[in-house]
Amino acid sequence: MCGIIGIVGKNPVNQLLYDGLLVLQHRGQDAAGIVTCDGNTFFMHKNNGLVKDVFQTRHMRNLVGNAGIAHVRYPTAGSSNAAEAQPFYVNSPFGIVLGHNGNLTNSEQLKSEMFKQDLRHINTSSDSEVLLNVLAHEIEKTSRNAALNTDMVFDAVTGVHKRCKGAYAVVAMIANFGLLAFRDPNGIRPLVIGKAETEKGTEYIVASESVALDVLGFQVLRDVAPGEAVFIDMDGNLYARQCSDIAKLNPCIFEYVYLARPDSVIDGVSVYQTRLDMGRTLAEKIKREWSDKKIDVVIPIPDTSRPSALQVGLALGLDYREGFIKNRYIGRTFIMPGQALRKKSVRQKLNPIGIEFKGKNVLLVDDSIVRGTTSQQIVQMARDAGANKVYFASAAPPVRFPNVYGIDMPSRDELLATGRTDEDICKEIGADGLIYQDLSALIDGIKANNADITHFDCSCFDGHYVTGDITEAYLAKIESARGDGKKNDKPANSITQLDLNLINTNELELGEVA
């Protein structure tokens, strides 16, 4: 789960890219980076940390040019090493920078091919660097040292689709040529295109979520289709081509449940409306199965679950109350590496309002239960605040399987629902009752808002991996490599060139855009 943005404008884009990253900060808090392009020169700054901490005035002044890409990262593959902050850069066959949201499931195979066949060196453990080198190699094959044109770029993306497996939404920039964006043939991770009319002409943007377009003043055009590539040249001309003959839309259903901002629209479906519908169907299940339980008040676990909890309260005819106050200066515990850090941060993050709990039977509603760390402590907070009984409702189905497409839930040992019944989970979190959303209800609710979506990646709920290449051996390998705490094992990188503000690319002989 990362956030990506690419812009081709008529004026300097550094401020737009920075503001866009702030809007997408929820998609990654580990690192941030911006690359701008002015002629044949890339200007780069990236580092570990939040957007507001990574970029200072002196950095922004150096990010010159009317086109660029940007990235916020939280690591699901590789490590938290500063060397793996994105965008990544290569200078052969042309100067290319790339930012990636997702996860390649065959990155180890590709690394081997890079070394043995393509004669390319991968410097980090990041699959995004692998993806960049695959793209660069495919461009080299299609261009064959000729003047580059858009047809060659699209042919290269076709080659990427044939070689790469997994989930990937990508923004890349070729120096003095243009912005390239593409989405994997299953469309697992989101990517949307927008434009803005200015006195100097049309500006284009590609981003992970539509909210970035809204905030920056761009009009949403459409989502990038699965397998499609979009290219915008430096003059602001937009081209698009379908680059896969097996493309089929399978968006990640967890984007709607938790990852995306509620004010985003993904593949034509409002995230906010989805969460309202989740509350409605959850309330219907509560009516069917908990008719014997006396509940006094519905309380959300802020912030993501608020729309669902509100609908639960309305549908059940119960009071909806804000029972927890959130410290907004604490990050999302879901994406904090290390169980100990998550446990410590929950108490810092939430504090109960005693009068909403004392002597009441409360129904706590959360968007999902992943590791259960937060749920367990919140239930205890409610009891400590004087609740008589504490019931817990998850607006999502049980998370029982690892996600291999770019979400940090790799180990079945870390997932509370794996191998446990609902009764076991209820006991584990210390609640008086536990109820989950049905997967079929979740799917039907999203389909009702866009009939063109017939399938989803629901792998974390049902264990079905849409790419068809995930084996038990693969799951065991990533669980061993990416278990809790593993991503922080490597020391921070101190190579100074990784924090350069300026990268000079080779002189490029670029042909006319076809």
Side-chain angles (χ1 to χ4, degrees):
M1 188 184 79
C2 297
I4 56 176
I5 308 174
I7 299 176
V8 176
K10 299 300 181 181
N11 297 292
V13 296
N14 55 349
Q15 189 66 51
L16 287 174
L17 292 169
Y18 176 86
D19 292 344
L21 288 186
L22 288 176
V23 175
L24 297 179
Q25 184 74 86
H26 62 285
R27 299 191 67 87
Q29 301 174 355
D30 186 72
I34 294 176
V35 175
T36 57
C37 183
D38 187 29
N40 288 339
T41 304
F42 285 137
F43 299 85
M44 176 187 289
H45 181 73
K46 60 179 181 176
N47 210 336
N48 279 355
L50 299 175
V51 175
K52 66 180 181 64
D53 298 322
V54 169
F55 298 98
Q56 307 300 321
T57 301
R58 66 184 184 277
H59 305 133
M60 298 299 291
R61 287 173 178 165
N62 288 327
L63 294 171
V64 300
N66 294 354
I69 65 173
H71 186 275
V72 285
R73 176 182 188 251
Y74 101 108
T76 57
S79 71
S80 296
N81 196 320
E84 298 188 5
Q86 296 184 42
F88 282 106
Y89 164 78
V90 294
N91 66 357
S92 175
F94 307 101
I96 306 172
V97 288
L98 176 144
H100 162 225
N101 173 31
N103 185 53
L104 299 185
T105 56
N106 65 333
S107 60
E108 292 303 316
Q109 173 191 338
L110 291 170
K111 283 181 185 179
S112 178
E113 293 175 1
M114 289 285 102
F115 178 73
K116 295 178 181 178
Q117 301 172 26
D118 302 343
L119 303 181
R120 286 182 169 270
H121 173 67
I122 307 300
N123 194 52
T124 71
S125 57
S126 172
D127 62 329
S128 300
E129 188 187 8
V130 173
L131 181 54
L132 169 60
N133 278 273
V134 172
L135 174 63
H137 181 75
E138 293 300 317
I139 291 176
E140 186 174 26
K141 283 171 55 180
T142 59
S143 63
R144 300 183 184 279
N145 298 318
L148 189 64
N149 60 49
T150 54
D151 287 333
M152 295 175 184
V153 173
F154 288 144
D155 289 342
V157 175
T158 299
V160 170
H161 288 331
K162 290 179 179 178
R163 295 182 66 180
C164 295
K165 297 180 181 179
Y168 48 93
V170 173
V171 290
M173 179 151 285
I174 305 172
N176 204 30
F177 191 56
L179 172 69
L180 172 67
F182 57 93
R183 198 174 176 192
D184 72 78
N186 286 292
I188 297 172
R189 301 261 76 85
L191 198 61
V192 63
I193 315 168
K195 71 173 183 177
E197 300 297 340
T198 72
E199 293 180 356
K200 296 181 179 181
T202 304
E203 298 182 325
Y204 286 99
I205 184 172
V206 182
S208 293
E209 293 185 32
S210 64
V211 64
L213 282 61
D214 299 337
V215 171
L216 298 180
F218 285 80
Q219 174 190 354
V220 175
L221 289 178
R222 61 180 178 85
D223 296 278
V224 177
E228 183 185 26
V230 173
F231 183 80
I232 304 150
D233 67 24
M234 300 302 282
D235 294 323
N237 300 303
L238 185 146
Y239 307 86
R241 183 200 289 180
Q242 177 54 252
C243 296
S244 173
D245 56 6
I246 59 169
K248 184 177 182 180
L249 183 58
N250 292 276
C252 173
I253 205 165
F254 210 69
E255 289 277 357
Y256 300 97
V257 170
Y258 176 83
L259 299 183
R261 272 183 45 155
D263 43 348
S264 284
V265 176
I266 297 177
D267 290 312
V269 177
S270 164
V271 175
Y272 181 73
Q273 184 62 54
T274 296
R275 291 174 186 171
L276 289 176
D277 293 340
M278 289 162 59
R280 176 181 53 80
T281 54
L282 181 60
E284 292 172 357
K285 185 174 182 181
I286 291 172
K287 286 180 181 179
R288 292 194 308 269
E289 300 188 6
W290 279 6
S291 59
D292 60 326
K293 287 183 171 52
K294 183 182 182 302
I295 299 172
D296 298 313
V297 63
V298 176
I299 294 176
I301 310 303
D303 286 316
T304 320
S305 67
R306 281 196 173 105
S308 298
L310 179 60
Q311 285 298 94
V312 169
L314 288 173
L316 297 179
L318 298 173
D319 287 338
Y320 168 92
R321 290 287 187 268
E322 291 287 342
F324 294 100
I325 297 301
K326 184 176 181 180
N327 180 351
R328 302 194 180 278
Y329 299 96
I330 298 293
R332 300 173 98 180
T333 55
F334 173 79
I335 62 176
M336 286 183 176
Q339 191 82 337
L341 182 56
R342 277 189 295 271
K343 287 181 177 179
K344 180 180 178 181
S345 67
V346 173
R347 286 283 181 174
Q348 297 172 338
K349 180 178 178 180
L350 296 175
N351 191 52
I353 301 173
I355 60 173
E356 297 298 350
F357 294 92
K358 191 171 183 179
K360 298 179 182 178
N361 297 333
V362 300
L363 173 62
L364 304 180
V365 178
D366 207 351
D367 52 75
S368 58
I369 303 172
V370 181
R371 294 170 173 89
T373 308
T374 302
S375 305
Q376 185 182 53
Q377 293 194 59
I378 287 174
V379 169
Q380 188 58 50
M381 283 185 204
R383 293 200 188 283
D384 293 343
N388 182 31
K389 288 188 177 294
V390 181
Y391 302 110
F392 205 99
S394 170
V399 177
R400 301 187 187 279
F401 301 92
N403 183 287
V404 301
Y405 300 129
I407 303 176
D408 187 21
M409 47 176 77
S411 173
R412 284 164 287 190
D413 291 340
E414 298 173 33
L415 302 177
L416 183 62
T418 301
R420 291 184 175 93
T421 65
D422 290 1
E423 291 75 17
D424 294 334
I425 299 168
C426 182
K427 183 177 180 181
E428 186 74 19
I429 66 174
D432 294 296
L434 171 67
I435 195 164
Y436 278 104
Q437 179 81 261
D438 291 328
L439 180 57
S440 58
L442 176 60
I443 292 173
D444 290 344
I446 302 176
K447 282 184 178 180
N449 294 296
N450 185 355
D452 292 334
I453 305 179
T454 59
H455 296 86
F456 296 88
D457 167 52
C458 305
S459 54
C460 59
F461 300 130
D462 62 9
H464 173 67
Y465 297 94
V466 296
T467 54
D469 61 328
I470 306 304
T471 64
E472 178 62 31
Y474 177 85
L475 294 177
K477 183 175 181 179
I478 65 167
E479 287 175 347
S480 175
R482 292 164 51 192
D484 238 340
K486 298 292 179 62
K487 292 193 292 291
N488 285 333
D489 287 347
K490 297 183 180 181
N493 191 285
S494 59
I495 302 176
T496 56
Q497 64 262 35
L498 292 172
D499 196 30
L500 285 178
N501 293 42
L502 175 65
I503 298 178
N504 291 313
T505 64
N506 295 334
E507 290 293 317
L508 307 181
E509 181 182 355
L510 300 177
E512 295 294 320
V513 174

